[in-house]
Structures are given as C-alpha cells and as structure tokens.
Amino acid sequence: MQFVDEASIIVEAGRGGSGCLSFRREKYVPKGGPDGGDGGHGGSVYLVGDDSLNTLIDFKFQRFYQAENGRPGQGRQMSGRAGDDLVVKVPVGTTVIDEDTLEVIVDITEIGQQVLVAQGGRRGLGNIHFKSSTNRAPRKTTTGTEGERRNLRLEMKVMADVGLLGMPNAGKSTLIRSVSAAKPKVADYPFTTLVPNLGVVKLGMHEHFVMADVPGLIEGASDGAGLGLRFLKHLTRTRLLFHVVDMAPFDESDPVEAAEAIIHELGQFSPALAELPRWLVVNKLDLVPEEEREARVAAIVEGLAWEGPVYRISAISGEGTDALVQAAHRWLTERRRLENEDEEAAERERQMRERMEAESVARTEARLGRRRKRKDDDDDDFDDDDYDVEVEYAP
C-alpha cells in the first residue's frame, strides 16, 4: 500500500429541508387552519480516528464528501426526515487544517475521537408556526439553510514511541529491519527511504514498542531541502529519538559535522523537538577494525560534546542492537510509570507536546502560505498588457 501522509478534501454538510405550506382539509372540519410541518435538519460531517488506517491514500482518490440533505416538511404537521450524518474515518494522528484560513481545527490523537468539521443546515419552518389571532391562514414558511462547506487539509503524523533520526544512508532502515518485522527498502545509495516506516519491536509476550524510520535529513531540511520539512513532523509524536550516526561513511565525510547538521536542522524546525530525549547510536561497527572502534566513537562523542547515552551497534549484523532496544524499553516503561504517578511530570510532558505541535503547525502554515503565494504569483503573471508590443525603429 502506498504511504500518503497529506491530502486535501472538500466536505459539505447537508442542506436543511424547507417548511411546508399546507392547510388542514377534512370532512366536517371547515377552516381547518394551517398544518404545514417543518423540514428536517441537514446532515453534518464528522471525522473519526480509526486505528485500522495508516495512510491517507483513500483521500487522494475521493476528495469530495457530502452529507445527506434534510427532507422538506409535509402536511398534517409531519416534519421532514433529517439528513443522515456522514462519518469519515481518518488515521489516528491526523491533523485537520482549514485550507482557507490555515486554522488548525483539531488534532485526532485517540481511537474513536470524533470531531464535527461541517455543520448541517437548519431546518425550515412550516406555516403552522406563523398562525396568530389576526392571521389564521398564514402562507408564510421558511426555507432550510445551506450546510457548511469547508476545504480541509489532512496531515498525518505516525504514532510511535521511538523515532530514528540521521543523515541519508546512516543505516536507519537497516536498524528497523534488524529489530522488528518491518521490511523497508535498503540499498547502498542515499534517500532509499522515501516515506516513513513503522516497526513493532517485540521483547516478550506483552512487551513491545513502536519504532518509526523517517527519510534521511540533509542540511537545509528545516527550510524545505530534501524530504525533511515534510517528514520531520512525524518525529513530534515520538517520546525518544535515536540519533543514528554512520561512523564509517562511504564518502569519507566527517561524522561529527553530519551529526551537528542534523541537530541544527532539528532545532530550526522545532526547538521543543530538539529538547526531546535523544540517544546517540553509532552505527556500522562492522566496517571498522575492532582495535579502531573505541577511538572513533570517542572522537565523535568528544566532537559533539555529547553527554547523553551512547550505544555502539552494527545494524546489519545485529551487534549491540539487543542492548539498545532493551534499554529503550526500560526507559519508556519508566517514563510511562512516572507520568502516571507524578502529576508534575505528566504536566511537563503535556506542555512539551503542545509546544512541539504548535511549532510543527506553524511550520506547516508557513509552508502552505508560501505555496499559496507562489500560486497567486503564477496567476498574476499574465494580464492584458502582455499583448502590448512596443516597436522601436532604429535610425
């Protein structure tokens, strides 16, 4: 299945049914009076989080979603049937943005979370509502109102516990293949990974966590270079980052400079994301002679002035990967326990999540604003004066 994490759709609620103009007509009941019923309310459009979906690909093929219109009222004070609501399933982790105002409507983060995105039209009133002592045969009714119509942008962020961060070809995809059942494409050239991949790391019968592999970053990713700006947002849903560093790059580049570029781009995209717990994972031990490994790792740690946890692994052979995932599982378990027992810790985590989400949304809004500006500039490139030709005659 193709991974699609962005889509634009149009939702339109149903129109309310009109009120009925009717008078009671029965034998032996002269001047029966008005009995026109009301119309039915138009159906509304809702989005609901569904854990069976992990991509927005369906919204690439169907972009228009419309709820049912309300039925008009009838005589004998019979109201019209209300239009059925339309419930559209979206993946958990979807952010809903109004494309016209760039307002973030909702962030769907829980299974079954339901949100109203288009309000159905109000029903019209029948003539029975307009009778009075001076107007016993009213011919006035009201029509139903139009349902709300909105242009929405859906942006999905994968839900994972651990996110892999690093340059292209650092070995992130090989690592997730090594520790989980995920099978992303692996090759000996950069940008093999073009979309995020999720893998479930199992450590026991009921012990597991989810790991996310996102496309590699390059310098300038926070400004849109490469694939970074589009996929960095997925890391805002993680709890822990593995910064994977290639200790033996094939182009003989400096691992310290590469790691510093990643750290810089992370901070540019979201300062709160840069504060997320991050472990240094030095990869490709198998490409370095055993007697040189510690010296190279020490040089990377010293060059980065790294003070956090450091793990040495070879993703392709599996060396060191078991210790890494076991430590990550213990850390995640302790973090959840602390948040459940300590209200202050839970509040700090919530505030950090809100900061990351706000900064990610600001980046998204800026990107959509630039795209809209480019579109407007392209539309303004042509005007009536473009047909004017000035002819200059040389003497």
Side-chain angles (χ1 to χ4, degrees):
M1 179 183 294
Q2 182 182 0
F3 180 87
V4 177
D5 66 338
E6 296 181 353
S8 295
I9 63 173
I10 300 171
V11 294
E12 184 174 319
R15 177 188 176 91
S18 298
C20 177
L21 175 62
S22 174
F23 293 93
R24 182 181 180 189
R25 300 182 185 280
E26 295 183 30
K27 191 175 182 181
Y28 308 121
V29 185
K31 301 179 181 180
D35 68 349
D38 302 333
H41 293 301
S44 299
V45 181
Y46 294 86
L47 300 183
V48 61
D50 190 310
D51 62 340
S52 67
L53 303 176
N54 57 10
T55 176
L56 298 175
I57 190 170
D58 292 340
F59 300 99
K60 289 291 185 181
F61 300 103
Q62 183 178 349
R63 294 180 179 271
F64 184 68
Y65 295 85
Q66 184 177 24
E68 187 179 19
N69 293 331
R71 295 301 183 90
Q74 300 180 38
R76 297 186 179 181
Q77 302 184 34
M78 290 190 293
S79 298
R81 184 174 67 84
D84 291 333
D85 294 331
L86 177 64
V87 179
V88 181
K89 296 180 180 179
V90 298
V92 175
T94 299
T95 300
V96 185
I97 302 171
D98 189 314
E99 280 203 316
D100 297 323
T101 64
L102 299 184
E103 171 197 2
V104 177
I105 299 172
V106 70
D107 197 16
I108 298 177
T109 57
E110 298 178 0
I111 300 172
Q113 180 181 352
Q114 185 167 296
V115 59
L116 173 68
V117 292
Q119 178 66 55
R122 298 284 299 176
R123 66 183 181 182
L125 300 178
N127 65 335
I128 191 173
H129 289 280
F130 300 97
K131 66 180 180 180
S132 67
S133 59
T134 58
N135 185 8
R136 299 187 178 186
R139 296 183 174 274
K140 180 180 179 180
T141 61
T142 61
T143 58
T145 61
E146 294 287 346
E148 191 175 9
R149 179 186 176 101
R150 302 179 85 168
N151 298 315
L152 301 180
R153 182 172 185 82
L154 307 180
E155 295 203 352
M156 190 192 79
K157 302 183 183 74
V158 296
M159 306 289 285
D161 300 300
V162 176
L164 301 183
L165 180 71
M167 283 285 190
N169 227 33
K172 302 185 300 299
S173 296
T174 304
L175 174 57
I176 199 172
R177 286 173 65 99
S178 175
V179 300
S180 75
K183 300 300 177 186
K185 182 180 179 181
V186 174
D188 58 353
Y189 53 84
F191 292 111
T192 308
T193 302
L194 299 177
V195 298
N197 294 288
L198 290 180
V200 178
V201 182
K202 294 186 177 180
L203 297 98
M205 183 65 68
H206 301 292
E207 298 179 341
H208 64 273
F209 64 87
V210 180
M211 182 180 290
D213 169 31
V214 301
L217 307 181
I218 62 175
E219 189 171 356
S222 60
D223 293 323
L227 301 174
L229 186 59
R230 180 175 175 185
F231 294 117
L232 266 171
K233 63 187 179 184
H234 293 288
L235 298 179
T236 61
R237 294 290 169 83
T238 60
R239 290 174 169 266
L240 175 65
L241 297 178
F242 287 172
H243 189 160
V244 183
V245 176
D246 183 354
M247 69 182 302
F250 68 92
D251 59 357
E252 298 184 354
S253 59
D254 185 356
V256 173
E257 292 182 358
E260 287 178 338
I262 294 295
I263 296 171
H264 173 74
E265 295 304 325
L266 202 63
Q268 289 291 104
F269 177 79
S270 169
L273 180 59
E275 297 174 9
L276 204 66
R278 190 167 70 253
W279 293 0
L280 184 64
V281 179
V282 183
N283 190 23
K284 302 189 181 179
L285 287 178
D286 55 297
L287 299 182
V288 179
E290 189 170 350
E291 61 273 12
E292 299 180 13
R293 293 178 181 177
E294 282 305 316
R296 291 206 186 187
V297 172
I300 294 173
V301 171
E302 183 179 356
L304 293 173
W306 190 270
E307 298 180 353
V310 180
Y311 289 87
R312 303 153 178 80
I313 70 165
S314 171
I316 195 167
S317 68
E319 181 181 354
T321 58
D322 185 61
L324 175 63
V325 298
Q326 290 285 354
H329 180 258
R330 289 193 298 271
W331 186 92
L332 291 168
T333 302
E334 178 61 21
R335 188 67 173 260
R336 294 191 185 97
R337 184 195 65 77
L338 182 62
E339 291 174 11
N340 289 333
E341 298 177 358
D342 189 339
E343 293 183 1
E344 292 185 2
E347 179 62 21
R348 287 195 299 270
E349 180 70 17
R350 186 189 63 80
Q351 291 178 0
M352 175 175 282
R353 295 290 159 192
E354 289 181 352
R355 284 177 56 204
M356 282 193 293
E357 187 61 33
E359 291 163 357
S360 175
V361 166
R363 280 285 178 178
T364 298
E365 291 178 349
R367 178 162 58 93
L368 294 177
R370 289 195 298 269
R371 182 184 301 174
R372 179 179 296 176
K373 185 177 184 302
R374 285 196 301 269
K375 182 179 179 181
D376 293 341
D377 291 344
D378 291 341
D379 293 341
D380 292 341
D381 283 345
F382 176 81
D383 54 38
D384 294 337
D385 294 336
D386 291 339
Y387 281 122
D388 296 342
V389 178
E390 295 183 0
V391 180
E392 181 178 346
Y393 294 94

